[in-house]
Amino acid sequence: MSSEITAEQAQQELLDEFEMFDNWMDRYQYIIDMGKQLPDFPEEWKTPERKIQGCQSNVWIHHRHEEGVLHFDAVSDAAIVSGLIAVLMRIYNDRPASEIHATSPHFLGDLGLDKHLSPTRSNGLNSMLARIYEVAEQEAA
């Protein structure tokens, strides 16, 4: 799926898509719609060790290493956070640990997400990113 393009290209595609929207209400709706496309997340994966600390809403991230890439599944009980998960998955899912590690999340500033999210949502997004990078680091080691 995402292995056809690099994480950098995925960020650029995302930025291009967001250019289509004139205002943040439309962008938020697009993010929420992306979240509705997330794959199902089995109840048994909702364990304390998979739960992300620092998020106002509940977020769980599950990962596995398959065929040289890291595959992530994640879910949230909040619509906008599910959308943010979908954004992160689009950029970081199904990639080698080294590529994840080498891809800085410049899309946050480029999209203006860092300015348009509440501090608690921003913290949650950063906590999710930190977990993805942490997993990539462990896999690369």
Side-chain angles (χ1 to χ4, degrees), residues 48-103:
E49 60 275 1
R50 291 190 181 109
K51 192 165 191 216
I52 302 296
Q53 301 308 314
C55 289
Q56 189 177 11
S57 47
N58 291 310
V59 176
W60 292 270
I61 294 180
H62 171 73
H63 73 276
R64 62 186 179 277
H65 197 246
E66 51 187 43
E67 298 174 24
V69 298
L70 281 169
H71 178 78
F72 294 93
D73 289 288
V75 69
S76 172
D77 56 6
I80 190 82
V81 179
S82 292
L84 294 172
I85 290 169
V87 167
L88 292 177
M89 293 300 115
R90 191 147 150 203
I91 295 167
Y92 296 103
N93 196 25
D94 292 329
R95 305 207 182 273
S98 58
E99 184 180 0
I100 292 170
H101 208 278
T103 304

